[in-house]
Structure formats: C-alpha cells, structure tokens
Amino acid sequence: TNNPLDDLIIDRLCNNDNLFELNNLCGILDNVADHDLIFKTILCSDARCINGIKKLFADHFMEFSDKLVLNTHLEEKPATFNVKKCVIEKAIAVTHKNFEHISRFPFMSLAFLERNKDFMYYDDEENMYHCILLYDIDFGDGMQIRDCIRLVSVLKVIDNVKRSSEMLEIQNTYLLLNNVIFPFTYGLKLSNIEKYNSFISGSDVTPLDDFLLEEKNYKKAEQYLEYIIPDNVEYSSIGGRMNCSPTVPIPPIHQFYNGLFSSEYVVNIHNCRIMQNQRDYFFKTLTLLSDNIVIEEKLEV
C-alpha cells in the first residue's frame, strides 16, 4: 500500500486473519483524521492479529466492541437530578488528539474558548444554557462545553476590563494633550514661530523640555505627566527632564512626543495609549489653534 498505517497493520497479521476482516479494519481506521495516534498505538502494542488491533480501539469504535462504551460522570446516590435546558448553538468537529487535550485540560484551551465564547452563555429569562457541542471526528465522542461557561464569563470580564483599561489610557492621552501639549504649543507659536515649526514637525522636543523646566509650568503639568512616568523612573521635583534609567533610556515625555509622530499604529507609554485617532486629533487641533492665533493677531493689530 501507499499508506504507512496500512503497511503496519499488514505487518501485524497472523495466519488466521482473512481479507474481509482486513478490509473492514482498514476501512474504519483509514477514516480517522489523526493517523499518527492510530499508528503509534498499534506500533507500541504487542497486537499480532486483527482481533488484537481491534481490542486496542474497542473503547473508541462500536464496530470493534460487543458492548456500549460511554464516557460519563457517575454520582453515587444523588439526592436529586438537577437538570436545565441546554441549546446547542454550534457543533464543532476536532481531531481525537485535540479532543483529548481539551477534555483533560479545558481551561488551558483558552484560544479555542475565546473563539467560541459568544456561543456559550446563560439566559436568565429563559433559564436556559446555550453551549457548543464538541465532538471527536475520529472516535465519535462528544461533550458539551457548558462547564466552561464560568471561565468564558471570566474571559468576557477580562476582555471588558482590558477594553476599559485601553479607554482609560486613551483618555489619559487626551488629558495630557489638552492640558499640557496644546497650551504649550499655543504659547510657543506666539513666542517663537521657528521653534514652533520644528516642534510640530516632530524634529525637536527641546522647547517642551525648556517649558517644563520652569517650576510653575511643571507644577501645573505634574498630575498629567504622571500618566507617562513609570514608577521606576526618577525625576526631579523641578523640570520635566526625567533622569533616565537603564530600563527607560528615553525620557517619558520624549516617548510621548515621538509617539505622536510615530508610524506605528499603537504606541504605549506607561498609562497612555497613542493611536491614529489621537494623532489625527493632535494635528486637527493644531490647525484650529493656528487659525485662532491668526484671528487674535489680527484683532490685536
């Protein structure tokens, strides 16, 4: 044959085996998706005939057993049978290897649960579970993923917490922009147009450093600068030039400034998150500031 599994089976035949039984055995085992598992099981066994091979898989294939075999959980003398309606929202076929892994370590299969978490929930109004049916495409076993609903609920909570954290980081970015960066930029254009042009081009952060070196400016900005200063970074009580440490080679205020002009989609600086929306907001606001400055200059004239 051209099939290593069939070759192995043929190698394990005895004189009492016949062609009909051989074709029947190979016809069943060849339909198993996980040939490696079947191959290893036979190879590591001492089976030397078709009946011996069938006994290896009697608990998986009804065709190989004269008894009905179930995978179940038994309780001794249960007081009641508490049952609830369960709706199978989705049936998913997996290989025997994956089925065994998920059944033994259901809480380690987070990626699998994450992909299907929307199908698993409990309906309070209907008092009904909604779940997925996971079945072994090789051996026909099946299990309802309902016991993992609590875990899925935790995943959803974690997902919501993560989103809330991201929203908080974005909010911190807006606060830092509105209360520190924009007031500074507004004043810089009025005082020095050349430095302003260098600053908004992303090539020179020095004017912002100089601005924060003044104690009164730093005190006003300090509560917003805390959003970008990690706990392990020391900084002087006066001034915005943080003393760098080996783990943070670039001052946080410089990281924030560079993040505004970065080509990366997301830039995280401690508790701030800069994405393209924040960059668009930054440049559109600069345009509005420029228009207002021109109007004020005309009024002053």
Side-chain angles (χ1 to χ4, degrees):
T1 73
N2 294 324
N3 187 331
L5 176 59
D6 291 346
D7 290 339
L8 177 62
I9 293 174
I10 291 175
D11 186 57
R12 296 298 181 99
L13 296 180
C14 67
N15 294 332
N16 294 329
D17 293 328
N18 58 64
L19 187 60
F20 175 79
E21 292 180 344
L22 176 63
N23 287 334
N24 181 47
L25 175 67
C26 292
I28 294 173
L29 296 184
D30 282 347
N31 288 326
V32 175
D34 194 350
H35 275 200
D36 289 342
L37 175 65
I38 302 296
F39 188 91
K40 290 178 181 178
T41 302
I42 298 175
L43 184 65
C44 296
S45 71
D46 58 356
R48 296 297 172 185
C49 63
I50 290 179
N51 284 335
I53 296 174
K54 286 182 176 181
K55 289 180 181 180
L56 296 176
F57 305 102
D59 57 339
H60 294 300
F61 297 99
M62 294 182 62
E63 295 89 342
F64 297 163
S65 176
D66 56 354
K67 297 180 181 179
L68 179 62
V69 179
L70 297 176
N71 293 319
T72 185
H73 173 73
L74 300 177
E75 296 183 11
E76 183 179 359
K77 298 180 180 179
T80 60
F81 290 99
N82 297 318
V83 296
K84 291 184 178 180
K85 293 182 179 179
C86 185
V87 178
I88 305 297
E89 295 287 350
K90 185 179 181 181
I92 303 173
V94 296
T95 64
H96 178 70
K97 182 177 181 180
N98 288 335
F99 184 87
E100 286 290 305
H101 176 76
I102 295 172
S103 61
R104 293 178 182 177
F105 311 104
F107 299 120
M108 294 183 66
S109 306
L110 298 181
F112 170 81
L113 293 175
E114 180 69 21
R115 290 195 301 270
N116 295 281
K117 65 181 181 181
D118 292 336
F119 296 101
M120 296 179 283
Y121 58 94
Y122 177 70
D123 190 335
D124 292 323
E125 295 181 358
E126 299 292 335
N127 190 28
M128 184 180 297
Y129 284 103
H130 293 256
C131 61
I132 61 175
L133 174 64
L134 191 68
Y135 66 93
D136 187 333
I137 195 173
D138 297 328
F139 298 143
D141 292 335
M143 63 178 171
Q144 291 172 297
I145 306 298
R146 182 189 65 78
D147 294 336
C148 298
I149 286 179
R150 284 192 293 270
L151 174 63
V152 174
S153 298
V154 172
L155 287 174
K156 288 185 177 179
V157 171
I158 293 174
D159 184 56
N160 291 335
V161 170
K162 181 181 178 182
R163 291 182 183 178
S164 299
S165 176
E166 292 174 354
M167 292 301 297
L168 180 61
E169 292 171 353
I170 292 172
Q171 178 183 335
N172 292 342
T173 299
Y174 283 123
L175 288 173
L176 185 54
L177 286 173
N178 293 335
N179 293 281
V180 178
I181 304 300
F182 288 143
F184 157 75
T185 308
Y186 183 90
L188 183 63
K189 182 166 186 180
L190 290 176
S191 62
N192 192 317
I193 190 64
E194 292 183 0
K195 289 185 177 181
Y196 168 83
N197 289 332
S198 297
F199 178 80
I200 66 170
S201 68
S203 60
D204 187 11
V205 70
T206 305
L208 181 57
D209 277 339
D210 295 336
F211 172 77
L212 292 174
L213 278 173
E214 296 184 23
E215 184 175 5
K216 62 176 183 178
N217 295 332
Y218 182 80
K219 288 297 182 182
K220 291 180 180 179
E222 186 174 12
Q223 63 174 312
Y224 305 106
L225 292 174
E226 289 180 355
Y227 298 147
I228 59 173
I229 301 174
D231 297 334
N232 61 341
V233 175
E234 297 180 357
Y235 59 99
S236 58
S237 58
I238 300 176
R241 287 178 177 163
M242 292 59 165
N243 297 326
C244 301
S245 67
T247 57
V248 187
I250 302 176
I253 193 63
H254 292 193
Q255 295 180 40
F256 187 86
Y257 175 77
N258 294 336
L260 290 174
F261 299 91
S262 173
S263 59
E264 298 181 26
Y265 180 71
V266 178
V267 175
N268 291 315
I269 304 100
H270 194 40
N271 289 326
C272 278
R273 175 180 292 256
I274 302 174
M275 299 192 297
Q276 193 56 46
N277 288 340
Q278 286 68 57
R279 297 186 186 98
D280 293 342
Y281 172 77
F282 173 70
F283 291 110
K284 287 179 180 178
T285 305
L286 286 182
T287 302
L288 293 174
L289 286 176
S290 299
D291 294 341
N292 291 334
I293 291 173
V294 170
I295 293 173
E296 289 187 7
E297 288 176 345
K298 289 182 178 178
L299 291 175
E300 289 178 0
V301 174

